Amino acid sequence: MKILIHSNGPMVPSGYGRQTKLLLSQLSSLGHEVAVSAFHGLSGSAIRWEGHTILPAGREPYGTDVLVPHALTWGADLVLTLMDFWKLAPIAGELAHLNVAAWLPIDCNPLGKADQFVLERSKAHPIAMSQFGARQLTGAGMVPAFVPHSVDTNIFKPPADRDELRREIGVDDRFVIGICAANSDALRKAWPEQFAAFAKIHKAHPETLLMVHSQAHNPAGFNLAQLADDMGISDAVMMSEEYAQNAGLMPDEMMAAWFGALDVLSSCSYAEAFGVPLIEAQACGTPVIATAGSAMSENSGRGQAVHGSKFWNPVHRAWWTRPNVDDIVKAYYKAYRASDAHASLARTEAFAFAQGFDSQVVALEYWGPLLERAEPEPSSEVPEEEDVF
């Protein structure tokens, strides 16, 4: 089957870019011919990347002007979107004439009105990336498939020598909390709440350190350096190099080392449709702390849950969960005070949980059976003989 993925390009080191890269490998290993319609990461002309055709973005956001022409020109049997599906509202009616499967993020309860509208109008087949998302789709009267995101456990794995890695980074004598999150809006990733919680534990324990992997300066989000200063923790925050992130110069191996050096990952967002860093961190043997809401509850394994209050999202017209700062502080303290034996057990449990999300496991257990059902039926018509003259 010819499958066209519509998402970030596989060369883009973003969450969606990494999943697109894994998808290319997974679907190809199952015998499908796969190309990518890259609405982010490529412009101007098509390229060949690791044996695959990558088609460029158009002039309109999210590729709404090129997705349908790309699918028709390439001859796709199936268009598989990996993105906020509601962004395709301008072409929802056109998509109804294609075979479209929407592997879409759902992070609110109930299903957002915009997602529901575009799914119904486009007649796309919904694929949830979390059980939480599947429940929201079912509640909206749909029959979703389920395929989780995945990680390459050949790369995201515990460091060979964690003590040496921490010495090289210069954090061997500190308790290190990490946050790996986008900084593209002023709400969802709960930057102020997590920074405020860290400020409380750092005041009592100056040897604590907060490592942040994100764009420190984004007009759509926060000035994280300024926020750290406002919270009084500038001297205890280690930011990843921003230029290297923007230029795509931080390979997966570097990120695996970053996760592996942490004592705990803090992922206390208002909402997550999946939360890939939760799985990447655990694959590297790092336990996690996450908000008890949306997909975070199912993807944090044996990690600590942070409770919060309901928060109404007016864009999606549905609920998120705002994490409670005091609960985050309690979770930080519990991780900080854990004995060496308990911390070692937590790392072992985190690693074991993440193995269920290995890329090849997801390919064989989820994508394989799903795409077998999606294969087009062979035609029963006998083709007429063609007159070659």
Side-chain angles (χ1 to χ4, degrees):
M1 183 161 57
K2 295 186 73 173
I3 302 174
L4 180 67
I5 301 168
H6 185 65
S7 188
N8 288 184
M11 70 293 283
V12 178
S14 65
Y16 283 149
R18 285 191 174 95
Q19 290 304 310
T20 300
K21 181 179 178 180
L22 290 171
L23 259 180
L24 279 173
S25 174
Q26 291 169 324
L27 303 186
S28 297
S29 72
L30 295 170
H32 301 285
E33 185 179 353
V34 193
V36 176
S37 167
F39 65 77
H40 175 65
L42 179 66
S43 63
S45 65
I47 63 170
R48 293 287 288 178
W49 184 86
E50 296 191 1
H52 298 280
T53 296
I54 314 297
L55 300 167
R59 290 187 293 271
E60 297 299 322
Y62 303 100
T64 54
D65 56 334
V66 294
L67 172 53
V68 173
H70 280 344
L72 295 175
T73 301
W74 194 68
D77 298 307
L78 174 68
V79 174
L80 176 60
T81 66
L82 173 55
M83 59 178 296
D84 291 329
F85 196 62
W86 62 276
K87 298 289 190 180
L88 296 180
I91 59 170
E94 297 175 62
L95 294 178
H97 301 290
L98 300 174
N99 184 24
V100 178
W103 194 27
L104 74 164
I106 298 170
D107 60 15
C108 54
N109 181 10
L111 178 67
K113 299 297 189 294
D115 274 326
Q116 183 168 350
F117 169 79
V118 180
L119 282 168
E120 291 174 348
R121 189 171 183 200
S122 67
K123 297 182 172 59
H125 310 287
I127 304 175
M129 56 185 65
S130 69
Q131 295 291 358
F132 169 83
R135 290 194 296 273
Q136 310 319 310
L137 288 162
T138 301
M142 301 179 190
V143 183
F146 166 65
V147 180
H149 278 325
S150 60
V151 296
D152 184 346
T153 58
N154 292 313
I155 296 175
F156 289 90
K157 58 186 177 181
D161 189 332
R162 184 170 180 269
D163 292 337
E164 177 60 26
L165 171 64
R166 285 169 58 89
R167 278 193 292 271
E168 289 177 1
I169 297 174
V171 301
D172 54 309
D173 59 346
R174 308 188 72 166
F175 181 80
V176 184
I177 299 170
I179 302 177
C180 176
N183 181 29
S184 55
D185 69 67
L187 268 182
R188 188 164 68 89
K189 297 299 184 176
W191 288 107
E193 288 87 348
Q194 292 181 94
F195 274 30
F198 177 76
K200 289 190 175 185
I201 190 173
H202 181 66
K203 184 176 181 180
H205 301 280
E207 74 278 14
T208 54
L209 176 70
L210 181 63
M211 284 175 53
V212 172
H213 180 73
S214 186
Q215 290 182 319
H217 305 90
N218 189 325
F222 285 96
N223 181 327
L224 295 180
Q226 185 180 75
L227 182 63
D229 186 60
D230 291 341
M231 298 290 179
I233 56 174
S234 293
D235 62 334
V237 176
M238 181 185 294
M239 301 272 188
S240 296
E241 185 183 350
E242 194 158 9
Y243 168 73
Q245 295 178 65
N246 294 336
L249 300 177
M250 299 188 75
D252 286 352
E253 290 80 3
M254 186 179 294
M255 286 307 305
W258 187 90
F259 283 117
L262 305 177
D263 288 294
V264 68
L265 178 77
S266 179
S267 187
C268 301
S269 303
Y270 281 47
E272 293 288 347
F274 186 86
V276 172
L278 287 169
I279 305 302
E280 291 175 337
Q282 290 175 95
C284 296
T286 296
V288 299
I289 296 169
T291 308
S294 57
M296 292 175 284
S297 296
E298 66 195 75
N299 289 337
S300 53
R302 299 292 296 275
Q304 296 185 65
V306 168
H307 297 284
S309 56
K310 294 175 73 174
F311 177 88
W312 181 255
N313 181 318
V315 175
H316 294 293
R317 295 155 61 194
W319 294 104
W320 281 352
T321 301
R322 181 179 184 178
N324 182 283
V325 173
D326 288 339
D327 267 22
I328 301 175
V329 173
K330 290 176 184 177
Y332 287 178
Y333 265 112
K334 186 174 180 180
Y336 174 82
R337 291 169 175 159
S339 66
D340 289 345
H342 189 276
S344 178
L345 175 61
R347 288 196 292 271
T348 299
E349 291 177 337
F351 170 78
F353 175 75
Q355 301 315 296
F357 298 87
D358 172 73
S359 177
Q360 285 308 302
V361 170
V362 171
L364 294 173
E365 295 187 4
Y366 295 94
W367 284 120
L370 176 60
L371 293 175
E372 280 182 14
R373 298 196 300 271
E375 285 277 10
E377 293 290 334
S379 174
S380 59
E381 296 180 7
V382 178
E384 297 180 4
E385 286 192 16
E386 188 173 308
D387 187 350
V388 297
F389 296 103

